[in-house]
Amino acid sequence: MIDASVAVSIGNRCLVGDSVVIQDSNYHEVEEGAGVKAKAVLIGDNVWIGRNSIILPGVEIGDHSVIGAGSVVTKSAPPRSLIAGNPARIIREIVAPRDYIRF
């Protein structure tokens, strides 16, 4: 599910597993007076998003990154990152040449 009230940008050659949720807004206040958080989501080229992952508002995922299945991504990650967990964190750097294409 991709739910965009501001913008969701997905790069070239990305793989997205089933039951993935990408949202650029939380659509309601969490606390009184906190306001609604709405900020674009940017996903780079050649990114693999594992099944049942959730990507929240304002997150940027760099090129050649992999998001492990079931992750809840609350923070941005640089290119070539392996990201996993709830909340997701950077596990390690991925070694991938610039022209690598994930199949």
Side-chain angles (χ1 to χ4, degrees), residues 28-92:
H28 57 82
E29 292 183 325
V30 175
E31 297 174 307
E32 184 178 2
V36 174
K37 180 177 182 179
K39 190 172 181 188
V41 173
L42 305 172
I43 299 169
D45 293 334
N46 202 38
V47 171
W48 178 12
I49 303 172
R51 73 181 317 177
N52 295 321
S53 293
I54 300 170
I55 300 176
L56 296 176
V59 168
E60 295 183 25
I61 305 297
D63 296 345
H64 302 288
S65 291
V66 173
I67 299 172
S71 296
V72 178
V73 185
T74 61
K75 296 181 181 176
S76 297
R80 295 173 178 78
S81 295
L82 174 59
I83 308 152
N86 180 6
R89 63 182 180 87
I90 297 171
I91 304 299
R92 66 176 174 86

Side-chain angles (χ1 to χ4, degrees), residues 11-15 44-48 64 98 100-102:
N12 297 315
R13 299 174 309 280
C14 290
L15 301 172
D45 293 334
N46 202 38
V47 171
W48 178 12
H64 302 288
R98 183 176 293 241
Y100 172 69
I101 298 174
R102 185 171 283 109

